[in-house]
Short mmCIF file of all heavy atoms in Angstrom, two decimals:
data_model
loop_
_atom_site.label_atom_id
_atom_site.label_comp_id
_atom_site.label_asym_id
_atom_site.label_seq_id
_atom_site.Cartn_x
_atom_site.Cartn_y
_atom_site.Cartn_z
N ALA A 1 -26.32 92.33 29.83
CA ALA A 1 -26.30 92.68 31.26
C ALA A 1 -26.64 94.15 31.47
O ALA A 1 -27.47 94.51 32.32
CB ALA A 1 -24.95 92.34 31.87
N GLU A 2 -26.01 95.02 30.71
CA GLU A 2 -26.25 96.46 30.88
C GLU A 2 -27.69 96.81 30.48
O GLU A 2 -28.36 97.61 31.16
CB GLU A 2 -25.26 97.25 30.01
CG GLU A 2 -25.21 98.76 30.31
CD GLU A 2 -26.35 99.53 29.66
OE1 GLU A 2 -26.81 99.11 28.57
OE2 GLU A 2 -26.78 100.54 30.25
N ALA A 3 -28.18 96.21 29.39
CA ALA A 3 -29.53 96.49 28.94
C ALA A 3 -30.56 96.02 29.97
O ALA A 3 -31.57 96.69 30.20
CB ALA A 3 -29.78 95.82 27.59
N TYR A 4 -30.27 94.88 30.58
CA TYR A 4 -31.17 94.37 31.62
C TYR A 4 -31.23 95.33 32.79
O TYR A 4 -32.32 95.68 33.29
CB TYR A 4 -30.70 92.99 32.07
CG TYR A 4 -31.56 92.36 33.15
CD1 TYR A 4 -32.69 91.63 32.82
CD2 TYR A 4 -31.22 92.49 34.50
CE1 TYR A 4 -33.48 91.05 33.81
CE2 TYR A 4 -32.00 91.92 35.49
CZ TYR A 4 -33.13 91.21 35.14
OH TYR A 4 -33.90 90.65 36.13
N ASP A 5 -30.07 95.75 33.26
CA ASP A 5 -30.02 96.63 34.44
C ASP A 5 -30.76 97.95 34.21
O ASP A 5 -31.35 98.52 35.13
CB ASP A 5 -28.57 96.92 34.81
CG ASP A 5 -27.86 95.68 35.37
OD1 ASP A 5 -28.57 94.76 35.83
OD2 ASP A 5 -26.61 95.64 35.31
N SER A 6 -30.75 98.44 32.98
CA SER A 6 -31.33 99.75 32.70
C SER A 6 -32.78 99.68 32.20
O SER A 6 -33.36 100.70 31.85
CB SER A 6 -30.47 100.49 31.66
OG SER A 6 -30.43 99.77 30.44
N SER A 7 -33.35 98.50 32.18
CA SER A 7 -34.69 98.34 31.62
C SER A 7 -35.78 98.61 32.64
O SER A 7 -35.59 98.45 33.85
CB SER A 7 -34.87 96.92 31.05
OG SER A 7 -34.05 96.72 29.93
N LYS A 8 -36.96 98.96 32.13
CA LYS A 8 -38.11 99.26 32.97
C LYS A 8 -38.72 97.98 33.55
O LYS A 8 -39.03 97.89 34.72
CB LYS A 8 -39.16 100.00 32.13
CG LYS A 8 -40.49 100.23 32.80
CD LYS A 8 -40.42 101.25 33.92
CE LYS A 8 -41.81 101.56 34.46
NZ LYS A 8 -41.78 102.51 35.59
N HIS A 9 -38.93 96.97 32.70
CA HIS A 9 -39.59 95.74 33.13
C HIS A 9 -38.62 94.56 33.02
O HIS A 9 -37.91 94.43 32.01
CB HIS A 9 -40.84 95.47 32.28
CG HIS A 9 -41.85 96.57 32.35
ND1 HIS A 9 -42.53 96.88 33.50
CD2 HIS A 9 -42.27 97.45 31.40
CE1 HIS A 9 -43.34 97.90 33.27
NE2 HIS A 9 -43.20 98.27 32.00
N LYS A 10 -38.62 93.70 34.05
CA LYS A 10 -37.65 92.62 34.08
C LYS A 10 -38.29 91.34 34.65
O LYS A 10 -39.20 91.41 35.47
CB LYS A 10 -36.47 92.97 34.99
CG LYS A 10 -35.78 94.28 34.67
CD LYS A 10 -34.74 94.60 35.75
CE LYS A 10 -34.13 95.98 35.52
NZ LYS A 10 -33.16 96.33 36.59
N VAL A 11 -37.78 90.21 34.20
CA VAL A 11 -38.07 88.93 34.85
C VAL A 11 -36.76 88.16 34.97
O VAL A 11 -35.92 88.20 34.07
CB VAL A 11 -39.12 88.08 34.09
CG1 VAL A 11 -40.47 88.75 34.09
CG2 VAL A 11 -38.67 87.77 32.68
N ASP A 12 -36.58 87.49 36.09
CA ASP A 12 -35.41 86.67 36.36
C ASP A 12 -35.95 85.34 36.89
O ASP A 12 -36.37 85.25 38.05
CB ASP A 12 -34.50 87.35 37.39
CG ASP A 12 -33.20 86.59 37.63
OD1 ASP A 12 -33.09 85.44 37.15
OD2 ASP A 12 -32.31 87.14 38.30
N VAL A 13 -36.01 84.34 36.02
CA VAL A 13 -36.76 83.13 36.35
C VAL A 13 -35.95 81.87 36.02
O VAL A 13 -35.01 81.90 35.23
CB VAL A 13 -38.11 83.10 35.59
CG1 VAL A 13 -39.08 84.11 36.19
CG2 VAL A 13 -37.91 83.40 34.10
N GLU A 14 -36.39 80.76 36.62
CA GLU A 14 -35.72 79.48 36.43
C GLU A 14 -36.79 78.42 36.15
O GLU A 14 -37.81 78.36 36.85
CB GLU A 14 -34.93 79.12 37.68
CG GLU A 14 -34.09 77.86 37.57
CD GLU A 14 -33.20 77.66 38.79
OE1 GLU A 14 -32.16 78.36 38.90
OE2 GLU A 14 -33.56 76.84 39.65
N TYR A 15 -36.54 77.60 35.15
CA TYR A 15 -37.49 76.55 34.76
C TYR A 15 -36.78 75.20 34.76
O TYR A 15 -35.60 75.10 34.41
CB TYR A 15 -38.06 76.82 33.37
CG TYR A 15 -38.85 78.10 33.27
CD1 TYR A 15 -38.23 79.29 32.89
CD2 TYR A 15 -40.21 78.12 33.56
CE1 TYR A 15 -38.95 80.47 32.81
CE2 TYR A 15 -40.94 79.30 33.48
CZ TYR A 15 -40.30 80.47 33.11
OH TYR A 15 -41.01 81.63 33.03
N TYR A 16 -37.56 74.16 35.10
CA TYR A 16 -36.97 72.82 35.14
C TYR A 16 -37.86 71.85 34.37
O TYR A 16 -39.08 71.83 34.51
CB TYR A 16 -36.83 72.34 36.57
CG TYR A 16 -36.24 70.94 36.68
CD1 TYR A 16 -34.89 70.72 36.40
CD2 TYR A 16 -37.04 69.86 37.04
CE1 TYR A 16 -34.35 69.44 36.49
CE2 TYR A 16 -36.51 68.58 37.13
CZ TYR A 16 -35.17 68.37 36.85
OH TYR A 16 -34.63 67.11 36.93
N LEU A 17 -37.19 71.05 33.54
CA LEU A 17 -37.86 69.99 32.78
C LEU A 17 -37.26 68.66 33.22
O LEU A 17 -36.04 68.48 33.16
CB LEU A 17 -37.62 70.20 31.27
CG LEU A 17 -38.29 69.20 30.33
CD1 LEU A 17 -39.75 69.55 30.14
CD2 LEU A 17 -37.58 69.20 28.97
N PRO A 18 -38.08 67.69 33.67
CA PRO A 18 -37.53 66.39 34.10
C PRO A 18 -37.21 65.50 32.91
O PRO A 18 -37.45 65.86 31.76
CB PRO A 18 -38.68 65.81 34.93
CG PRO A 18 -39.91 66.34 34.26
CD PRO A 18 -39.55 67.74 33.79
N ARG A 19 -36.68 64.32 33.20
CA ARG A 19 -36.43 63.34 32.14
C ARG A 19 -37.75 62.88 31.53
O ARG A 19 -38.74 62.69 32.23
CB ARG A 19 -35.72 62.11 32.71
CG ARG A 19 -34.32 62.35 33.21
CD ARG A 19 -33.72 61.05 33.74
NE ARG A 19 -32.36 61.26 34.20
CZ ARG A 19 -32.02 61.53 35.45
NH1 ARG A 19 -32.95 61.63 36.38
NH2 ARG A 19 -30.76 61.71 35.79
N HIS A 20 -37.73 62.70 30.22
CA HIS A 20 -38.87 62.13 29.51
C HIS A 20 -38.39 60.89 28.76
O HIS A 20 -37.26 60.84 28.26
CB HIS A 20 -39.45 63.13 28.51
CG HIS A 20 -40.12 64.29 29.14
ND1 HIS A 20 -40.39 65.47 28.47
CD2 HIS A 20 -40.59 64.48 30.39
CE1 HIS A 20 -40.99 66.32 29.28
NE2 HIS A 20 -41.12 65.76 30.44
N TYR A 21 -39.27 59.91 28.65
CA TYR A 21 -38.92 58.66 27.98
C TYR A 21 -39.87 58.38 26.82
O TYR A 21 -41.09 58.47 26.97
CB TYR A 21 -38.97 57.49 28.98
CG TYR A 21 -37.86 57.54 29.99
CD1 TYR A 21 -37.98 58.32 31.14
CD2 TYR A 21 -36.66 56.87 29.78
CE1 TYR A 21 -36.95 58.40 32.07
CE2 TYR A 21 -35.62 56.94 30.71
CZ TYR A 21 -35.78 57.71 31.84
OH TYR A 21 -34.75 57.79 32.75
N GLN A 22 -39.28 58.03 25.65
CA GLN A 22 -40.10 57.63 24.52
C GLN A 22 -40.77 56.30 24.85
O GLN A 22 -40.14 55.42 25.42
CB GLN A 22 -39.25 57.45 23.25
CG GLN A 22 -38.59 58.72 22.77
CD GLN A 22 -37.13 58.79 23.13
OE1 GLN A 22 -36.74 58.27 24.15
NE2 GLN A 22 -36.33 59.45 22.31
N ASN A 23 -42.00 56.17 24.49
CA ASN A 23 -42.69 54.90 24.70
C ASN A 23 -43.50 54.51 23.46
O ASN A 23 -44.72 54.48 23.50
CB ASN A 23 -43.59 54.99 25.93
CG ASN A 23 -42.87 54.60 27.21
OD1 ASN A 23 -42.60 53.43 27.44
ND2 ASN A 23 -42.53 55.60 28.01
N PRO A 24 -42.82 54.24 22.35
CA PRO A 24 -43.55 53.77 21.16
C PRO A 24 -44.24 52.44 21.45
O PRO A 24 -43.80 51.67 22.32
CB PRO A 24 -42.44 53.61 20.12
CG PRO A 24 -41.19 53.41 20.91
CD PRO A 24 -41.36 54.24 22.15
#
């Protein structure tokens, strides 16, 4: 947290992966 706050470059992002189904 402290390193993030004091850094020059930052990204704060959220990613989503949906359900996947095996289909042999």
